[in-house]
Amino acid sequence: DAKTTQPNSMESNEEEPVHLPCNHSTISGTDYIHWYRQLPSQGPEYVIHGLTSNVNNRMASLAIAEDRKSSTLILHRATLRDAAVYYCIRARGGSNYKLTFGKGTLLTVNP
Amino acid sequence: GAVVSQHPSWVICKSGTSVKIECRSLDFQATTMFWYRQFPKQSLMLMATSNEGSKATYEQGVEKDKFLINHASLTLSTLTVTSAHPEDSSFYICSARERQGSAIGWQFFGPGTRLTVL
């Protein structure tokens, strides 16, 4: 039970913004939202994580709904190298959390 | 970000033999390491969690006598697939987490090891 729901696939064009949605309607107050991505035949790569407030880093932005039941990963300008499977994972806070992967969203970026 | 390495990156072995996969955190101390398995076109499945100096905790359905995990130091964990069979062929991925006090720790993944059992 991955506890999050994501679209199976999305498509975008190069240099355009991409909004990847994630539904986590049963999230508890102590759960963090993590995003990882995985390129073919590679291990997952950390993208971003957050708890309540929106977060920004050099890779992406994470917008978390006020009720925390959903979130959106934003890639501001998609490149061909952003084509990957994106996983949205909720995990309890603290140092002993486990990352359980769902099916993720396969992002295709068109040149 | 921090670097986690795995060795070997791929291995082919005969049925019935044992295979050891190493996972190292190169620039941080990993108090907790994880082992995942991924079959083609499927998501990652957590196999076990290990804390340095302790026995690994296996997820339901994972045979601890078949998948031996050792986490002897803060930078090295090993997974040994004993008496491997063709159904054990998979992509094995390790992950390491750096403890940051009581705060959420960063978790990084290795590049994976492709195991093919003939």
Side-chain angles (χ1 to χ4, degrees):
Chain A
D1 179 13
K3 307 173 190 174
T4 63
T5 304
Q6 299 177 253
N8 289 333
S9 62
M10 290 185 65
E11 209 170 314
S12 72
N13 297 318
E14 201 174 8
E15 298 193 5
E16 290 184 358
V18 181
H19 289 65
L20 296 164
C22 179
N23 182 289
H24 29 79
S25 57
T26 60
I27 196 168
S28 72
T30 56
D31 287 351
Y32 280 75
I33 302 152
H34 303 253
W35 283 84
Y36 283 78
R37 69 181 184 182
Q38 185 180 25
L39 278 67
S41 297
Q42 294 187 29
E45 175 187 27
Y46 169 82
V47 178
I48 202 166
H49 78 277
L51 182 62
T52 55
S53 304
N54 294 342
V55 185
N56 300 294
N57 65 22
R58 64 176 180 81
M59 289 182 69
S61 294
L62 175 60
I64 302 172
E66 197 169 332
D67 62 6
R68 300 211 324 125
K69 293 184 177 182
S70 64
S71 61
T72 302
L73 179 69
I74 303 167
L75 306 179
H76 296 286
R77 288 184 64 196
T79 69
L80 298 179
R81 288 179 295 179
D82 291 323
V85 178
Y86 285 78
Y87 297 98
C88 167
I89 305 167
R90 51 172 269 213
R92 191 166 297 175
S95 57
N96 296 320
Y97 67 93
K98 293 193 291 189
L99 296 178
T100 302
F101 287 76
K103 296 181 179 180
T105 297
L106 174 62
L107 176 65
T108 301
V109 180
N110 300 315
Chain B
V3 178
V4 176
S5 71
Q6 281 185 241
H7 178 80
S9 56
W10 58 270
V11 57
I12 301 173
C13 69
K14 293 182 178 180
S15 185
T17 61
S18 294
V19 174
K20 179 184 283 188
I21 303 170
E22 290 188 351
C23 175
R24 294 181 184 273
S25 57
L26 298 185
D27 51 2
F28 66 100
Q29 292 186 328
T31 50
T32 307
M33 285 187 167
F34 306 85
W35 287 94
Y36 291 81
R37 180 168 54 181
Q38 186 174 33
F39 292 107
K41 298 193 183 300
Q42 294 188 23
S43 187
L44 285 79
M45 185 193 80
L46 179 64
M47 299 175 67
T49 302
S50 73
N51 292 297
E52 185 260 340
S54 304
K55 287 184 178 180
T57 302
Y58 291 80
E59 295 298 305
Q60 193 172 10
V62 178
E63 301 174 59
K64 62 179 181 180
D65 294 330
K66 182 170 184 61
F67 299 99
L68 302 179
I69 293 172
N70 184 282
H71 189 171
S73 77
L74 287 173
T75 58
L76 173 65
S77 176
T78 60
L79 168 68
T80 301
V81 183
T82 61
S83 186
H85 291 285
E87 58 265 30
D88 298 322
S89 298
S90 188
F91 192 48
Y92 291 86
I93 305 168
C94 77
S95 181
R97 181 180 302 159
E98 179 183 35
R99 181 183 289 276
Q100 293 187 339
S102 60
I104 192 167
W106 301 108
Q107 185 164 337
F108 303 94
F109 287 79
T113 297
R114 177 80 55 193
L115 170 63
T116 301
V117 184
L118 303 177

